[in-house]
Amino acid sequence: MLTEDYRLEIINSEGRKYLKQLSSAKVGDVITSLGPHTLSELIARSEEPLPVDIILEGPPKKVFELQMRSVQNDVQQWVIALQDVTFIRETQERTQMQNRLATVGQLAAGIGHDFNNIMAAILVYTELLLQEQNLPQKFEKRLNIIKQQIEQATNLIHQMLDFSRSSIMAETQIDLHPFLKELEKLLSRTFPETIQITLDGEPEKYFVNVDPTRMQQVFMNLAINARDAMPNGGKLSFKLSSLSCGETGNKEYPFLSAGEWVMVTVSDTGTGIPEDIMPHIYEPFFTTKEVGKGTGLGLSQVFGIIKQFKGHIEVKNTGEAGTTFIVFLPKNITSSASDEEQIKNTHLDGSGQQVLLVEDNPATSKALTAMLEMFEYKVVTAFNGLEALEHLQTMEFDFVMSDVVMPEMGGVELYHHIQAEWPGLKVLFVTGHPLRGKEKKLLEQKGVSWLQKPFTIQQFSQLIETFLKDD
């Protein structure tokens, strides 16, 4: 409470705590300002129905709500009510951010479905052309470039789908050395010239089972954080090495289980991470960046992806020398043939078998038909689930290949009809949307499998061989 001449007369314990942050005044002193606001400014706003925000930029940033009212007794006095709403405002901002991300995610999921349909048709036709005999070398080179661009476009849409948590982890075996070599080239083109980027590693194979798109996201997130920590330039280094962990464990890294590991060390010469921040770096929405310059999701996403691949991540603060992250991934000892070799060695034979293809996108339907016919399958097409049921009433099929999202009747409803009337008939879903919720539960049922668009001919043939043999 203030007197008529604005001297502090009465204050409770909570108010005393807040006042220390807003003013140096004590009981009996005249208050001239609170935070960045003069008292005359606050008095002028005393009749406003809503409280006045008093923001202290910090660090740490603090937000107070203030209401000031005049009290008329024998003499005029002023009552000031203060509330620390910092936590409430931070919670509101995080909720708003999540809502924004959810909106972007819904948009991304919708775009992703259409985009994946387009890419599916282009990829299938590209691979069909690569199967042609006596294909001139210059055409083969051009088609492989098209295929690479399709893969990059597909990776982009998968990153968009991360917003909606609609993406899935599609594990495949990769060698991390050429993978990181390509990332080094990308970063060198896009990062400031003041940042030197290097990649070191012994000349050996570093095979791991991961989703390449998600691994690129991991190292891009780490690289971007390093770039932001070096505003005046510096060095960003990637180092590949192998680590063998015996049954007795590893003293330096006790969390590693016995086996062979690939280590990727990502180091920068930036400002480092303050010790009080270190325990929170993997927490979702925790960020030390300015509003609008970071969501606080980067390192939490890195942590989640690495854990999903049964890996670990360790961080070391090297003081003024910067920060070092070490990513540990289980090493895959066996290697696999290249994609080109696998495609040429595909021996799927559909002779004498009839397939019902259910797809509402005309271009995708034609591309998938061409692919199935390449394997000697006889193909009957349907635009949606209703049309598919009409064919099922009059014809026999070895299996059904169906999209999920279609007009009038989608793939899930069609599946339930097939289960009821033709329980022995297998269904393969091909979709631009990953299966989620009730749809995902179908994967656990016998005779059901799925592919996400776009997929390669090799991926299709491998799945079909397993799919048809599984009784």
Side-chain angles (χ1 to χ4, degrees), residues 166-269:
S166 299
S167 56
I168 55 167
M169 301 293 180
E171 291 190 25
T172 187
Q173 180 176 269
I174 65 170
D175 183 352
L176 279 181
H177 192 274
F179 178 85
L180 288 176
K181 194 68 180 174
E182 288 300 313
L183 181 65
E184 179 195 12
K185 293 178 183 177
L186 172 64
L187 295 176
S188 297
R189 291 194 301 267
T190 56
F191 274 27
E193 293 181 358
T194 54
I195 296 179
Q196 179 187 358
I197 302 170
T198 61
L199 171 62
D200 297 314
E202 295 296 326
E204 61 174 280
K205 299 294 185 181
Y206 299 93
F207 287 115
V208 291
N209 282 334
V210 295
D211 183 325
T213 302
R214 299 304 173 273
M215 286 311 301
Q216 184 181 52
Q217 190 69 56
V218 164
F219 294 119
M220 281 296 293
N221 285 357
L222 293 176
I224 289 169
N225 281 351
R227 179 202 65 189
D228 293 346
M230 299 185 289
N232 299 318
K235 184 177 180 180
L236 170 61
S237 61
F238 294 85
K239 183 179 179 181
L240 268 167
S241 57
S242 295
L243 176 66
S244 182
C245 191
E247 294 296 333
T248 56
N250 184 285
K251 291 183 179 180
E252 188 175 3
Y253 307 112
F255 48 81
L256 294 179
S257 59
E260 300 296 319
W261 294 86
V262 173
M263 295 172 57
V264 185
T265 305
V266 185
S267 302
D268 66 63
T269 56

Side-chain angles (χ1 to χ4, degrees), residues 19 22-23 31-39 42 54 66 80 82:
L19 186 63
L22 299 170
S23 172
I31 293 182
T32 57
S33 64
L34 290 172
H37 301 273
T38 63
L39 194 66
L42 296 172
I54 299 181
L66 177 144
I80 297 176
L82 275 172

Side-chain angles (χ1 to χ4, degrees), residues 8 16 18-35:
L8 181 59
R16 197 182 305 273
Y18 296 159
L19 186 63
K20 285 181 181 179
Q21 302 174 64
L22 299 170
S23 172
S24 60
K26 299 177 181 177
V27 174
D29 292 346
V30 175
I31 293 182
T32 57
S33 64
L34 290 172

Side-chain angles (χ1 to χ4, degrees), residues 82-115:
L82 275 172
Q83 181 182 7
D84 185 347
V85 294
T86 305
F87 178 76
I88 295 173
R89 294 297 176 83
E90 288 176 349
T91 303
Q92 289 173 345
E93 289 174 2
R94 289 174 182 172
T95 302
Q96 290 169 359
M97 182 181 293
Q98 290 181 57
N99 290 338
R100 287 197 299 271
L101 289 176
T103 301
V104 173
Q106 291 171 3
L107 175 63
I111 294 173
H113 176 254
D114 295 336
F115 193 89

Side-chain angles (χ1 to χ4, degrees), residues 348-354 372-378 398:
L348 184 63
D349 184 8
S351 301
Q353 298 183 56
Q354 184 160 259
L372 287 163
E373 288 177 344
M374 182 191 77
F375 291 117
E376 304 298 332
Y377 286 105
K378 183 179 179 182
D398 292 278

